[in-house]
């Protein structure tokens, strides 16, 4: 007799094996095994320190030099600079190589999918990247490492070298619009898939979370893999609460079987 976990793997395997076109959405949960804390989980950055959310709120960032100073300090020690991809990221590279992954949408800004070997052409960074700095005024973009190298006690909040404006990581803060072209690509990928896999996202941030609805409305089966319940669990064909690395390892086993 199958136990509950085996049943879940079997359903997941059947869904994935039958799908010609798969779209994946990843959130912070896939990178926690790489040492990058999530935001809203039990040990999340904002759960432990609600004040930290101000650094990711555009109005506070623009209005308050102290918020920017703390944001630059936080960036200099960000775990993304030394993090390595984990088995979860690598499993999605295997899924891509099976030829059925049409897009890898991510809410993460750590570039670990690309570093794991995912084709940058299929990765859609909904919330931008921390590896690039962008001027809020002239929109000049520069490598984050170059700007971090300028940060010092005398220059705690380095201005844009082109126009003197405020620099920020090229990530989407609260109160900041997503790039419309990025949203368009994501909606298209959600509309065109047979299976939409949402992995490690609390599915509480729009418009990313709403992509689940877009996919289901277009006829896709939604699979939610997350440690905690999400607002979209009721829409899902399958909800998996097992650890992400374990779930994606099961998926990789399936892919090995179909190739
Ligand atoms: Zn500028």
């Amino acid at each position: 007799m199958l136990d509950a976990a085996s049943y879940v793997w079997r359903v997941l395997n059947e869904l994935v094996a039958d799908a010609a076109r798969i779209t994946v959405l990843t959130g912070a949960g896939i990178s926690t095994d790489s040492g990058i804390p999530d935001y809203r989980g039990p040990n999340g950055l904002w759960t432990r320190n609600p004040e930290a959310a101000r650094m990711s709120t555009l109005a506070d960032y623009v209005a308050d030099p102290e918020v920017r100073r703390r944001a630059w300090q936080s960036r200099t020690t960000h775990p993304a600079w030394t993090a390595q991809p984990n088995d979860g990221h690598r499993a999605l590279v295997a899924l891509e190589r099976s030829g059925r992954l049409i897009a890898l949408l991510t809410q993460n800004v750590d570039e670990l999918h690309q570093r794991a070997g995912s084709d940058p052409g299929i990765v859609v960074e909904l919330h931008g990247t921390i590896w690039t700095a962008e001027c809020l005024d002239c929109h000049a973009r520069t490598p984050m490492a170059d700007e971090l190298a300028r940060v010092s006690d005398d220059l705690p909040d380095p201005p844009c070298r082109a126009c003197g404006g405020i620099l920020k990581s090229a990530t989407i803060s609260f109160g900041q619009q997503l790039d419309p072209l990025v949203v368009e690509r994501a909606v298209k990928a959600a509309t065109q898939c047979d299976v939409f896999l949402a992995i490690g996202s609390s599915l509480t941030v729009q418009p990313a979370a709403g992509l689940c609805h877009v996919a289901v409305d277009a006829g896709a089966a939604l699979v939610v893999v997350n440690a905690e319940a999400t607002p979209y669990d009721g829409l899902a064909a399958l909800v998996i609460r097992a650890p992400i690395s374990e779930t994606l390892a099961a998926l990789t086993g399936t892919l090995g079987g179909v190739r």
Side-chain angles (χ1 to χ4, degrees):
M1 197 177 106
L2 285 173
D3 60 20
S6 303
Y7 176 74
V8 165
W9 303 146
R10 175 182 282 191
V11 175
L12 175 66
N13 289 351
E14 285 175 359
L15 279 171
V16 169
D18 289 347
R21 302 164 73 83
I22 299 170
T23 293
V24 169
L25 168 69
T26 63
I30 198 170
S31 289
T32 52
D33 282 350
S34 294
I36 299 180
D38 61 18
Y39 300 102
R40 295 180 175 80
N43 290 308
L45 282 179
W46 298 337
T47 310
R48 288 182 294 135
N49 180 13
E51 181 67 11
R54 290 189 71 214
M55 293 191 292
S56 298
T57 302
L58 186 66
D60 290 327
Y61 190 89
V62 170
D64 189 345
E66 178 60 20
V67 168
R68 294 199 294 278
R69 187 191 66 77
R70 278 189 278 125
W72 281 108
Q73 285 306 313
S74 168
R75 283 177 200 130
T76 57
T77 57
H78 199 283
W81 312 136
T82 53
Q84 297 297 319
N86 64 55
D87 286 345
H89 300 103
R90 284 188 282 272
L92 295 177
V93 176
L95 179 61
E96 179 186 332
R97 289 185 181 150
S98 79
R100 291 169 300 152
L101 182 64
I102 61 172
L104 176 45
L105 319 178
T106 186
Q107 296 175 277
N108 298 340
V109 297
D110 53 34
E111 297 193 10
L112 285 177
H113 287 305
Q114 295 92 320
R115 293 182 62 196
S118 289
D119 176 357
I122 69 156
V123 177
V124 179
E125 294 176 311
L126 292 164
H127 295 164
T129 171
I130 195 176
W131 288 85
T132 298
E134 183 171 348
C135 174
L136 293 175
D137 293 326
C138 76
H139 301 288
R141 290 167 72 94
T142 46
M144 178 58 82
D146 292 356
E147 305 305 340
L148 287 175
R150 300 169 64 203
V151 176
S152 67
D153 289 346
D154 294 333
L155 194 66
D157 173 27
C160 171
R161 280 174 286 192
C163 79
I166 293 174
L167 286 182
K168 189 175 83 62
S169 58
T171 54
I172 304 297
S173 298
F174 292 115
Q176 204 170 8
Q177 294 296 315
L178 274 67
D179 180 338
L181 293 176
V182 166
V183 174
E184 191 179 316
R185 280 184 72 195
V187 168
K188 190 174 172 191
T191 307
Q192 294 181 339
C193 64
D194 308 316
V195 169
F196 189 91
L197 260 174
I199 300 168
S201 172
S202 62
L203 299 177
T204 53
V205 177
Q206 299 296 351
L211 293 167
C212 295
H213 232 302
V214 171
V216 170
D217 283 350
L222 169 66
V223 178
V224 175
V225 185
N226 196 51
E228 286 96 34
T230 82
Y232 291 85
D233 290 357
L235 260 191
L238 183 65
V239 176
I240 300 176
R241 292 272 158 72
I244 288 168
S245 50
E246 194 181 319
T247 304
L248 294 185
L251 192 63
T252 310
T254 308
L255 299 170
V258 297
R259 265 192 288 179

